[in-house]
Amino acid sequence: MSQNTGYEVPLEHRISKSQRQELQRMFELGQRILATEPDKADEAGRRFQYCVENDPRNRIYVEAFLQAVELVHPTAQPKKRRWFDRQNAAWKSACQADDSQGILARGPAMLVRNPWDASVLLPLVRACHTFGYLEPALRYLQNAIECSENEVESHRLYARTLAWTGRFSTSSACWGRVLELVPDDEESQRMRDIFECDAAVIPLDSPANA
């Protein structure tokens, strides 16, 4: 479900009652396709993709979308050069402009090609942080960590996001993984020291200030 993090939801992400009903119908259709015709995961994925693109703060939609495209691509896919690739051009343009709304809108289409692509997943995570969409960010990070590409940054963002959601013990373990990869990492060392204190008084910056 969508979450209330205290952030103001941008106009582009505000959903009317009729839109919510439309998204729910699309979501349920995707679920029925998977339940009755599991070999058509790509069709279900398109329904879930529409839901994620129109409600990027909904963890349930993100979860269903990634699970569907993972059925189509259970392992990382090689990157292919595509001529006149409008989707990729729009994605790159959004990333270069640091357009968080554009990244959230265009990222799912890129994940349809490869749900394990850290070069897509990590910008989506940072865009989620901009708006306080922490639960969807955690789900994207699960795939980023599994793909083992850019492992240090994936674990660093995962540790931060876990802390922002109050999962301090798991965050501490994740910072430990960063230290294993980069033994002299100052941020990891500082955060591990902080986590030895009472979690209730841990001074954590918000995602917007990180």
Side-chain angles (χ1 to χ4, degrees):
M1 295 179 64
S2 299
Q3 66 206 68
N4 180 9
T5 60
Y7 286 71
E8 182 178 356
V9 178
L11 289 174
E12 290 80 358
H13 298 167
R14 295 180 187 178
I15 299 174
S16 67
K17 182 178 180 180
S18 60
Q19 290 173 319
R20 174 66 62 199
Q21 292 171 341
E22 177 194 8
L23 291 175
Q24 186 62 25
R25 287 194 295 270
M26 189 69 71
F27 176 71
E28 292 173 355
L29 176 58
Q31 287 184 310
R32 286 197 297 273
I33 293 173
L34 278 183
T36 59
E37 300 177 277
D39 59 323
K40 294 185 178 180
D42 56 336
E43 291 187 18
R46 285 195 290 272
R47 273 67 178 184
F48 298 141
Q49 177 186 345
Y50 178 83
C51 294
V52 173
E53 289 172 344
N54 287 276
D55 187 6
R57 55 188 173 136
N58 192 312
R59 162 80 184 233
I60 294 175
Y61 292 164
V62 173
E63 179 74 46
F65 166 66
L66 287 176
Q67 286 182 348
V69 293
E70 286 165 15
L71 290 173
V72 180
H73 301 300
T75 59
Q77 302 298 300
K79 294 183 180 180
K80 298 179 180 178
R81 187 184 182 100
R82 304 172 187 238
W83 296 104
F84 306 109
D85 189 338
R86 293 182 178 178
Q87 286 183 333
N88 189 52
W91 165 253
K92 287 185 175 180
S93 178
C95 290
Q96 290 170 357
D98 197 22
D99 175 7
S100 295
Q101 292 182 21
I103 288 170
L104 290 176
R106 294 169 176 82
M110 303 305 296
L111 291 180
V112 167
R113 306 175 181 187
N114 182 6
W116 313 99
D117 188 347
S119 69
V120 175
L121 292 161
L122 297 187
L124 278 167
V125 169
R126 296 187 185 97
C128 285
H129 286 172
T130 299
F131 300 113
Y133 303 162
L134 302 182
E135 293 299 328
L138 286 173
R139 184 58 184 87
Y140 288 129
L141 281 163
Q142 289 178 19
N143 279 36
I145 287 173
E146 286 190 35
C147 79
S148 298
E149 181 184 342
N150 204 343
E151 190 173 3
V152 173
E153 186 64 11
S154 296
H155 278 88
R156 187 186 306 280
L157 290 174
Y158 198 37
R160 289 176 182 169
T161 310
L162 287 165
W164 290 329
T165 58
R167 298 170 171 94
F168 299 120
S169 60
T170 310
S171 177
S172 180
C174 204
W175 283 120
R177 176 56 180 159
V178 177
L179 278 174
E180 291 177 6
L181 297 168
V182 187
D184 60 348
D185 185 76
E186 294 183 1
E187 182 183 14
S188 301
Q189 292 172 343
R190 183 176 69 255
M191 293 306 297
R192 287 294 299 272
D193 289 342
I194 289 175
F195 280 123
E196 293 179 1
C197 304
D198 185 351
V201 297
I202 292 177
L204 296 173
D205 289 334
S206 69
N209 295 328

